[in-house]
Amino acid sequence: MADGPLSYDVVVVGGGAAGLAAAVTAARTGARTALVERYGFLGGMATAGMVSTVCGLYLTAAAGPPEPLNEGFAEDVAHRLAAMPGCGAPVRRGRTHVLPYTPFAFACLADELTASAPALDVYLHTFLLGLERSAQRVETVRVATWERVVDLAGRALVDASGDAALAHLAGAATATTPLAERQLPSLVFVLQHVDTEALGSGPRVALLRALVTAEQEGRLPKGAANLALGPSPQPGEMVCKLTLSGITEELPPSRDFLTVAEQEGRRRALAVTEFLKTLPAFSRAFVSHAAPQVGVRESRRVIGRYQLTRDDVLSGHTFDDGVARASWPIELWEEGRLGATYEWLEDRAHYDIPLRCLQARDVENLFVAGRCMSATHEALGSARVIGTCLAAGEAVGRAAARCAEAR
């Protein structure tokens, strides 16, 4: 262990889209910044979850070209990502646009962004162990790297862990939706050697119906039919998203939910692939790779100085302290339903993310960004997407740097 703490102006825990934006932005203002990430790469769900499309970058509009919602970090990431190998221009999805990308490209772009900020130190393969708090502030966080245990002292802290891990350790108020009511996670896996030209809209619908029938007849594990097939710019490649329903119903008391979800997800992915191989378009298919972790949509959230609500989202509420714009629909993945439900904003409408949603209620120097922001279950279904995380993370990075300077 180091002899004493390393001193920073801003310490960011979690290197997903929100944490990346917060750390780079804080460092660009001149604040000495540390970014702590448990994986060997940055990006969070964009990379570890292999989401493969950036949602929330563009205004809701039933027609017309994509219109960026937020200038600055989010727009810069979108432009640079679209130009990287294997990525592409925005494509329409329903009443908005999404940006397709490859997870490796996102990870490489994150490396470029962090390397361009000299005041930023990145700690990969690093885990949060604990913290020291005095009065209403967090003073130091203790982390373990591959080589050492080190204390990082920060004037301002950002919890971008996705699970409010830092806030929970600090004793900040948090809320967790019960497992049975929580948004379902998904496992993304990729198939090769698929005859994608044979899979138009008609054959694809027939395929999904065949999966449902096979599950009902016991030829597939329970929950294995909750599958979405996504296009890929690579020839013969198909991106599959398997939503993991039914796990909470049979979860043994001694097992952790995410452990069971990971193992059950792989079991279902293999079973689905074997079933698909009985169909002509998939006769030579195999799983080339799967996401390093299941894609978590909801877990623990911080109670902030304001809680974003469903009405705020759907009414297009703006705030005096609004720091990021959002327009993605309320997208919920729930038990008992194949696919997601969407509640769209009115055409060309957007709402604000107020800074108060990104500040812990009862810890003065603790900010939050990403899916652990202060929001209700329904509001989070809109605000959690990557594009919104990039914009809100930038705002948090700027606010944290100001807080550190004022201290």
Side-chain angles (χ1 to χ4, degrees):
M1 183 170 168
D3 292 337
L6 301 178
S7 295
Y8 290 94
D9 297 311
V10 177
V11 176
V12 181
V13 175
L20 170 68
V24 172
T25 300
R28 284 175 176 174
T29 71
R32 190 174 181 221
T33 305
L35 175 58
V36 175
E37 169 54 42
R38 61 176 172 161
Y39 286 119
F41 50 86
L42 301 169
M45 289 297 101
T47 48
M50 284 175 41
V51 175
S52 300
T53 53
V54 180
C55 304
L57 288 169
Y58 308 106
L59 186 69
T60 293
E67 299 179 52
L69 274 166
N70 294 284
E71 298 177 348
F73 194 86
E75 189 173 19
D76 180 52
V77 167
H79 282 308
R80 293 174 65 170
L81 193 59
M84 297 190 73
C87 304
V91 297
R92 178 162 287 281
R93 180 183 291 177
R95 291 172 52 202
T96 187
H97 291 79
V98 298
L99 184 70
Y101 71 94
T102 66
F104 184 72
F106 197 106
C108 291
L109 177 56
D111 290 338
E112 293 175 12
L113 290 165
T114 55
S116 71
L120 175 59
D121 291 339
V122 177
Y123 294 83
L124 300 179
H125 295 293
T126 301
F127 297 87
L128 178 65
L129 297 181
L131 54 80
E132 291 184 5
R133 176 176 169 173
S134 64
Q136 298 302 308
R137 307 181 70 89
V138 174
E139 301 293 345
T140 303
V141 297
R142 176 164 294 181
V143 300
T145 73
W146 184 77
E147 299 168 316
R148 55 184 172 152
V149 172
V150 60
D151 290 334
L152 307 177
R155 296 174 183 268
L157 289 297
V158 177
D159 188 336
S161 65
D163 303 315
L166 179 60
H168 183 62
L169 280 176
T174 60
T176 306
T177 301
L179 268 177
E181 303 169 21
R182 203 174 298 174
Q183 287 220 55
L184 299 173
S186 292
L187 176 66
V188 175
F189 62 99
V190 178
L191 296 177
Q192 305 295 339
H193 289 179
V194 178
D195 183 1
T196 53
E197 294 183 0
L199 288 174
S201 57
R204 191 169 300 195
V205 170
L207 183 155
L208 296 176
R209 287 175 177 166
L211 286 170
V212 172
T213 300
E215 182 183 329
Q216 291 172 342
E217 294 175 350
R219 292 181 286 130
L220 281 174
K222 183 178 179 181
N226 207 346
L227 182 74
L229 301 175
S232 167
Q234 315 310 321
E237 184 173 270
M238 181 70 67
V239 179
C240 304
K241 180 165 64 178
L242 183 60
T243 301
L244 301 176
S245 55
I247 292 178
T248 57
E249 299 171 9
E250 302 174 2
L251 184 67
S254 61
R255 300 294 304 282
D256 177 79
F257 173 77
L258 274 184
T259 299
V260 175
E262 297 280 6
Q263 295 177 330
E264 180 64 15
R266 287 189 287 271
R267 184 176 81 91
R268 293 182 190 181
L270 281 175
V272 167
T273 303
E274 289 304 307
F275 174 81
L276 292 177
K277 287 169 66 175
T278 66
L279 307 176
F282 295 87
S283 60
R284 298 173 56 239
F286 67 95
V287 177
S288 60
H289 55 290
Q293 75 156 85
V294 298
V296 176
R297 295 186 171 95
E298 182 180 14
S299 56
R300 186 189 295 120
R301 306 185 299 278
V302 173
I303 302 298
R305 301 176 189 182
Y306 182 81
Q307 187 177 57
L308 191 73
T309 69
R310 175 179 178 274
D311 286 345
D312 292 332
V313 172
L314 296 180
S315 67
H317 196 161
T318 58
F319 295 88
D320 290 342
D321 64 334
V323 290
R325 299 167 65 187
S327 189
W328 191 253
I330 294 177
E331 175 188 346
L332 298 178
W333 298 77
E334 298 173 310
E335 289 284 2
R337 181 181 287 117
L338 293 178
T341 60
Y342 296 88
E343 285 189 275
W344 292 87
L345 282 72
E346 295 292 333
D347 241 25
R348 307 195 62 76
H350 74 274
Y351 65 94
D352 286 350
I353 306 289
L355 183 61
R356 286 167 294 156
C357 285
L358 309 175
Q359 296 172 289
R361 184 183 66 190
D362 40 17
V363 182
E364 291 178 2
N365 65 336
L366 179 59
F367 297 83
V368 295
R371 73 167 188 266
C372 59
M373 64 174 282
S374 182
T376 65
H377 167 73
E378 293 85 1
L380 189 69
S382 168
R384 63 175 172 77
V385 293
I386 295 170
T388 308
C389 287
L390 290 169
E394 177 185 14
V396 161
R398 196 173 291 114
R402 288 197 302 266
C403 174
E405 185 178 14
R407 188 175 176 188

